[in-house]
Amino acid sequence: MEEELNKSLLENKMMLRDAFGSAPDFYVKDLKIMGFSCCICMMEGLSSTQKLWEIMLEELSHLEYHPKTPDGLFDYILKETAIPMESRTVLCRNDIVAQLTAGASVILIDGVAKALVLSTQSFSYRSVQQAEGEGNIRGSKEGFTEPVRINISLVRRLIRSDRLRIETMTIGERTKTEVALMYHEDFVSKEILTKLKQRLCAIKLPFLFDTGYLSPFLHKYGFSFFQAVGYTERPDTASAKICEGKIVILANGSPFAMIVPYFFSENFQTMDDYAQKAYFSSLIRVFKYIAFFIAVMLPGLFVSAVNFTPELFPPQLLYKISAADQATPMPLFLETLFVIFLLEIVREAGLRLPKPIGHSVGLVAALIVGDAAVSAGIIGTPIIIVAAMTTICTFVVPSLYEPITVLRILYVLAGGLFGPIGVVAVTFIMILSICRMNPFGIAYVAPIVPFSQTLFRDGVLRQNWRILAKSDFSVEKLSNRKKEGEE
């Protein structure tokens, strides 16, 4: 049961002292307002002391009204003065702690069992900068930052519509993290929105520091290599998804917005596609699909062909591959696994270290370790070429890096141990893993399966803006089309 505020100012102060202990940033100032004992509470670093006193002194120094009771003072400050107050008052301990840790200031009045909340937020945060993980040639260069209210404003500035809806909730039993849902009321699927709210409300997490924590709770199916939610750190991408009827989830402290629902084909699309010629964008998308299959299947197919069906290679190429294989001490599929392992270790080291050192790690691995391993006969040149090709192709579709890496290893194991049958089996598992995903009533592989003309309108291929502008795509239309097909 929540502990309610007391009419005694002393009791309320003791309750807050008990809540925050001897925290050095918890600031309490006793004062008298119009003859009534009051106190102001705030968290230094989250609230601005200068802003607080400027607001209070400027407004309270010109008051001519003299209330006769503490409740009269409370109502007068809340309703009659120009002091920027929050719309809701605080009635219990949990609410006052939530307001203080959010950067607001709280006024307690002796004889009143509720508190006033002042908007004095002023905390340090990373300024809006260019999105690092989603590079683009044209379009906006802005990226999300950590405070959720700043991120909301970035989207609001791009979608200047009164139909844009923003709903907030708190997730995380210990962190009380603010989570915001953003959607366009005219385009969103009400069924998907209802399901999403129900699943978010049912989440029981001790803490929440990133939107990625929410993903496992939104999937209502068994294991899959892929996930039916997307992420972006670009406000323009999030805004475009909202205009398509999708729901964007923002979490305080995370610069990555979650997109629900998300389709497999969207991993191969970028905002640059819509600023370029349609034929070139379509060509690039086709290249990305090819790069995806190369990154996943090439090492496994190569190992399977060399060990089980070498007659597929031209004689000159087969001779060189055989000579390289004979010169190395490990079997071909173990050699491939070792190279993949080495590349992943180098990537992880370069990612976690500071950038100047990270570049040095990559340079050392490429020039020294790789060249020395080939010269010493530990690794064959064909494997290095195959691994380099797959690694480059992996970076073409960065949002699918995790499933690509795992599937690549499975393909190598299956191809090395079972040959073509193993490759076919893993391919079947991969296709099944993609097609069985249906977390919000719409297939993850839509509009590929079930087939829709949207596939050639803005799926694998993209039409020009003269055609796209004639009829907008929305998840609501796709959902309705699915229902009509079922009927």
Side-chain angles (χ1 to χ4, degrees), residues 307-319:
N307 290 340
F308 293 89
T309 56
E311 62 273 9
L312 295 177
F313 293 99
Q316 292 181 342
L317 179 59
L318 180 61
Y319 172 77

Side-chain angles (χ1 to χ4, degrees), residues 328-383:
T328 56
M330 293 184 291
L332 188 64
F333 85 98
L334 287 181
E335 185 180 337
T336 307
L337 288 176
F338 174 73
V339 174
I340 293 174
F341 170 77
L342 182 62
L343 288 173
E344 289 302 315
I345 291 298
V346 171
R347 172 192 173 273
E348 192 67 17
L351 182 65
R352 305 303 170 189
L353 288 171
K355 287 186 177 180
I357 303 178
H359 294 312
S360 301
V361 169
L363 185 64
V364 169
L367 297 182
I368 300 178
V369 177
D371 182 67
V374 173
S375 301
I378 300 175
I379 301 174
T381 304
I383 294 299

Side-chain angles (χ1 to χ4, degrees), residues 2-6 8-9 11-20 26-28 39-43 46-47 74 88-109 112-118 176:
E2 294 184 350
E3 184 178 356
E4 296 183 352
L5 294 179
N6 197 290
S8 171
L9 179 61
E11 291 290 334
N12 290 333
K13 289 168 61 178
M14 291 178 62
M15 179 185 65
L16 291 176
R17 287 294 184 187
D18 180 64
F20 293 106
F26 179 52
Y27 174 85
V28 178
C39 80
I40 293 180
C41 306
M42 62 183 293
M43 304 298 292
L46 298 179
S47 297
F74 183 95
R88 60 187 296 266
T89 57
V90 172
L91 301 175
C92 63
R93 176 182 182 272
N94 290 343
D95 285 345
I96 197 171
V97 170
Q99 292 291 347
L100 289 173
T101 53
S105 298
V106 173
I107 300 179
L108 296 167
I109 302 175
V112 181
K114 50 187 176 180
L116 295 164
V117 182
L118 286 77
K176 306 295 182 183

Side-chain angles (χ1 to χ4, degrees), residues 171-173 198-205 213-214 217-218:
I171 299 178
E173 297 176 358
Q198 291 174 349
R199 294 176 187 179
L200 287 175
C201 292
I203 291 177
K204 301 296 181 183
L205 275 173
Y213 291 26
L214 305 174
F217 299 92
L218 303 181

Side-chain angles (χ1 to χ4, degrees), residues 61-368:
S61 60
H62 298 89
L63 294 181
E64 298 180 356
Y65 174 76
H66 296 285
K68 298 179 180 179
T69 63
D71 288 315
L73 174 63
F74 183 95
D75 293 335
Y76 181 74
I77 294 177
L78 179 63
K79 300 177 182 179
E80 302 296 333
T81 67
I83 298 175
M85 296 287 180
E86 295 287 342
S87 58
R88 60 187 296 266
T89 57
V90 172
L91 301 175
C92 63
R93 176 182 182 272
N94 290 343
D95 285 345
I96 197 171
V97 170
Q99 292 291 347
L100 289 173
T101 53
S105 298
V106 173
I107 300 179
L108 296 167
I109 302 175
D110 192 19
V112 181
K114 50 187 176 180
L116 295 164
V117 182
L118 286 77
S119 301
T120 58
Q121 292 87 348
S122 179
F123 48 87
S124 300
Y125 60 89
R126 184 173 60 93
S127 62
V128 177
Q129 299 174 351
Q130 183 172 350
E132 295 183 357
E134 298 178 65
N136 67 308
I137 300 174
R138 302 177 185 175
S140 173
K141 304 297 181 181
E142 289 181 338
F144 284 125
T145 184
E146 281 70 26
V148 67
R149 299 300 176 95
I150 302 298
N151 293 338
I152 290 174
S153 69
L154 292 175
V155 176
R156 172 79 76 177
R157 191 175 62 186
L158 295 176
I159 306 179
R160 301 173 61 182
S161 170
D162 59 348
R163 309 298 288 172
L164 178 65
R165 294 290 179 260
I166 303 170
E167 299 182 21
T168 60
M169 61 181 66
T170 301
I171 299 178
E173 297 176 358
R174 302 177 187 174
T175 57
K176 306 295 182 183
T177 305
E178 184 180 11
V179 175
L181 275 69
M182 304 187 70
Y183 58 91
H184 199 291
E185 192 171 27
D186 293 340
F187 305 133
V188 72
S189 169
K190 303 300 187 294
E191 182 181 352
I192 293 177
L193 180 62
T194 301
K195 289 181 181 179
L196 179 61
K197 288 181 181 179
Q198 291 174 349
R199 294 176 187 179
L200 287 175
C201 292
I203 291 177
K204 301 296 181 183
L205 275 173
F207 43 77
L208 175 66
F209 297 113
D210 187 79
T211 49
Y213 291 26
L214 305 174
S215 177
F217 299 92
L218 303 181
H219 295 177
K220 296 298 181 181
Y221 50 84
F223 173 78
S224 176
F225 294 104
F226 303 85
Q227 56 181 355
V229 297
Y231 299 95
T232 183
E233 53 181 328
R234 291 170 54 97
D236 58 344
T237 300
S239 300
K241 299 304 180 184
I242 290 174
C243 292
E244 291 179 355
K246 296 183 173 64
I247 305 166
V248 169
I249 303 175
L250 299 169
N252 193 43
S254 173
F256 290 90
M258 178 183 287
I259 302 169
V260 177
Y262 200 73
F263 304 121
F264 179 73
S265 60
E266 293 182 88
N267 292 294
F268 305 89
Q269 301 173 4
T270 64
M271 289 299 292
D272 270 342
D273 292 349
Y274 302 94
Q276 297 168 337
K277 286 286 187 179
Y279 70 85
F280 183 75
S281 299
S282 300
L283 179 65
I284 294 299
R285 287 184 184 181
V286 172
F287 284 169
K288 288 181 179 180
Y289 277 96
I290 295 173
F292 168 76
F293 287 106
I294 290 175
V296 171
M297 303 176 66
L298 180 60
L301 289 173
F302 178 76
V303 171
S304 173
V306 171
N307 290 340
F308 293 89
T309 56
E311 62 273 9
L312 295 177
F313 293 99
Q316 292 181 342
L317 179 59
L318 180 61
Y319 172 77
K320 294 181 179 179
I321 293 174
S322 177
D325 187 26
Q326 294 295 325
T328 56
M330 293 184 291
L332 188 64
F333 85 98
L334 287 181
E335 185 180 337
T336 307
L337 288 176
F338 174 73
V339 174
I340 293 174
F341 170 77
L342 182 62
L343 288 173
E344 289 302 315
I345 291 298
V346 171
R347 172 192 173 273
E348 192 67 17
L351 182 65
R352 305 303 170 189
L353 288 171
K355 287 186 177 180
I357 303 178
H359 294 312
S360 301
V361 169
L363 185 64
V364 169
L367 297 182
I368 300 178

